[in-house]
Amino acid sequence: MAQRLATEYVKTCLQLTEAEMLKFFQMFVDHQLALQVKVLENGNQEVVFQDGAGGQEIVLSFEKKSGLYECTGSCRLSNTKLANLMRKAVSDFKGSAIVNRIYSAYTMVYTYAHGTVVKIEEIKGQRVTVIYEHKDTIGLLQQLFKRQEIEQEIEMIHDQINHLLDVRNMLQEPQEHEQVDVRLKELTHRLFVLEA
């Protein structure tokens, strides 16, 4: 099995309440990591996690926005323990991130959204291979159903237009023609909107 050289968290985003922030800290402390929290004057926090004396560290900045602590940024980790804890944090706290797991011959790119892996790609040189991609089956079925409703409405409008054209051909009075023409104009506009 290939040896992972590093794990790179790119475009990581976590949004935590104050209670979740404490759980987040505790998760790292429970794994014997040293923790330093610097509270800045505007309520923002800078957090440093370190794996033992002189070990690798993660520095995360949390900006306070609308009662939530938001962490956005990147970090590169060669320590497997720290990398696994970051993965768990992104998953448990419903974060989003692009994670590059770097090996000597290739890179695996994991895309997280709301704490779940939605895409996995393998990059070897210039070649990118999609290994996994989440499909929103329910969403696709809802779109298909909605598309069928539109097709039924289009068919109904065609029938109404044909009926109004027949009625218009039977009418003698120009005033009656105008009333039918107004309704035909409304129906053709709606048809244009639906077919667009």
Side-chain angles (χ1 to χ4, degrees):
M1 180 173 217
Q3 178 73 29
R4 188 183 322 169
L5 303 176
T7 304
E8 186 175 47
Y9 282 81
V10 185
K11 296 182 183 178
T12 305
C13 181
L14 293 169
Q15 291 183 324
L16 308 174
T17 63
E18 198 159 333
E20 289 173 327
M21 188 82 148
L22 295 174
K23 288 179 186 176
F24 179 79
F25 294 160
Q26 192 61 46
M27 184 176 79
F28 284 85
V29 170
D30 287 346
H31 287 84
Q32 288 77 43
L33 294 176
L35 168 69
Q36 288 181 321
V37 180
K38 296 176 189 171
V39 179
L40 307 174
E41 60 192 50
N42 53 7
N44 296 347
Q45 296 186 14
E46 186 175 273
V47 183
V48 179
F49 299 102
Q50 188 172 21
D51 186 19
Q56 187 174 17
E57 64 181 29
I58 304 174
V59 178
L60 300 174
S61 296
F62 287 88
E63 187 177 340
K64 195 166 187 178
K65 292 182 179 178
S66 305
L68 292 175
Y69 290 94
E70 185 175 296
C71 173
T72 55
S74 302
C75 59
R76 185 179 175 104
L77 306 167
S78 55
N79 181 307
T80 306
K81 183 178 183 179
L82 286 174
N84 287 335
L85 280 171
M86 274 301 292
R87 178 189 50 77
K88 184 169 174 36
V90 168
S91 179
D92 289 355
F93 296 102
K94 309 293 183 220
S96 60
I98 297 173
V99 181
N100 297 323
R101 294 184 182 161
I102 303 165
Y103 299 87
S104 60
Y106 60 95
T107 299
M108 297 298 290
V109 180
Y110 290 72
T111 304
Y112 287 81
H114 307 291
T116 304
V117 176
V118 293
K119 191 173 191 177
I120 302 173
E121 298 171 299
E122 178 187 67
I123 301 175
K124 281 186 177 179
Q126 298 297 320
R127 195 182 79 201
V128 177
T129 306
V130 176
I131 305 297
Y132 166 78
E133 189 165 14
H134 172 72
K135 302 264 190 257
D136 182 12
T137 307
I138 292 172
L140 292 173
L141 288 173
Q142 288 173 336
Q143 286 178 348
L144 180 62
F145 181 73
K146 188 175 180 180
R147 195 174 308 140
Q148 288 175 344
E149 285 178 343
I150 291 171
E151 289 171 0
Q152 289 171 351
E153 187 176 351
I154 289 171
E155 188 176 320
M156 186 177 72
I157 290 172
H158 278 292
D159 290 342
Q160 289 177 351
I161 289 173
N162 288 336
H163 174 73
L164 285 173
L165 287 172
D166 290 339
V167 169
R168 188 178 189 285
N169 287 335
M170 291 187 288
L171 296 175
Q172 305 289 327
E173 299 291 320
Q175 193 176 28
E176 293 172 329
H177 282 168
E178 285 179 27
Q179 291 175 345
V180 172
D181 288 345
V182 167
R183 182 66 184 137
L184 281 169
K185 185 177 181 181
E186 291 170 356
L187 288 172
T188 54
H189 176 71
R190 178 67 181 150
L191 191 61
F192 176 75
V193 168
L194 290 172
E195 290 180 337

